[in-house]
Amino acid sequence: MIGVIDTDGDCAEWTFPAEPGAVRSARIAVRGQLHGWDLDCVADLAALLVSELVTNSLRYATGPIGVRLVRPVGADDSLLVEVSDPLPDPPRERVARPEDESGRGLQLLAGSSRRWGTRPGASGKTVWFELAVPE
């Protein structure tokens, strides 16, 4: 996967083709894995944010889209989520006007996650975010 950093802990990852069905497939995979980890409490939010990032990847990049979930060792209160694509350009946050039909994904990401960022990979970039897991 593009730009993946080795992380100790439970990990699940998928690669989706750059096709419209990727968004739905990613949501289903994320919800299913988080249910398996007994993290239903963050499944809806994680699936929503993954949907936004995969949609951005489909809109601006071509090639495979990677999704990765990590439960870091010793950090039971957090979930790390990564979405990778072959486009090297980092996403840009913008202010959407009320009548705009798009442009709110990164604002949603910034407002809903504990922290988020991007990092370059050998052949693309990864957008990551961390969600707080309630005890």
Side-chain angles (χ1 to χ4, degrees):
M1 194 174 310
I2 302 157
V4 168
I5 292 178
D6 278 338
T7 309
D8 289 334
D10 292 333
C11 177
E13 58 187 85
W14 306 269
T15 301
F16 301 99
E19 299 172 355
V23 177
R24 182 175 186 273
S25 297
R27 269 196 316 265
I28 290 168
V30 166
R31 278 196 178 107
Q33 184 63 54
L34 293 177
H35 178 72
W37 285 344
D38 287 328
L39 292 178
D40 292 305
C41 57
V42 294
D44 287 340
L45 180 56
L48 172 66
L49 297 177
V50 164
S51 292
E52 292 293 330
L53 294 177
V54 171
T55 298
N56 283 351
S57 292
L58 284 172
R59 182 171 286 143
Y60 300 110
T62 58
I65 300 165
V67 176
R68 183 172 185 246
L69 305 176
V70 179
R71 293 178 65 191
V73 170
D76 292 338
D77 68 337
S78 69
L79 173 71
L80 176 64
V81 182
E82 301 173 330
V83 176
S84 304
D85 66 48
L87 184 69
D89 304 329
R92 290 190 336 246
E93 218 174 326
R94 67 181 183 98
V95 177
R97 298 177 307 228
E99 65 273 11
D100 289 344
E101 293 186 21
S102 64
R104 294 174 183 81
L106 291 179
Q107 290 176 343
L108 182 62
L109 178 68
S112 302
S113 61
R114 182 182 280 168
R115 58 193 184 116
W116 75 279
T118 63
R119 66 176 176 274
S123 61
K125 65 156 172 326
T126 297
V127 180
W128 60 269
F129 61 91
E130 184 180 277
L131 293 179
V133 175
E135 293 182 33

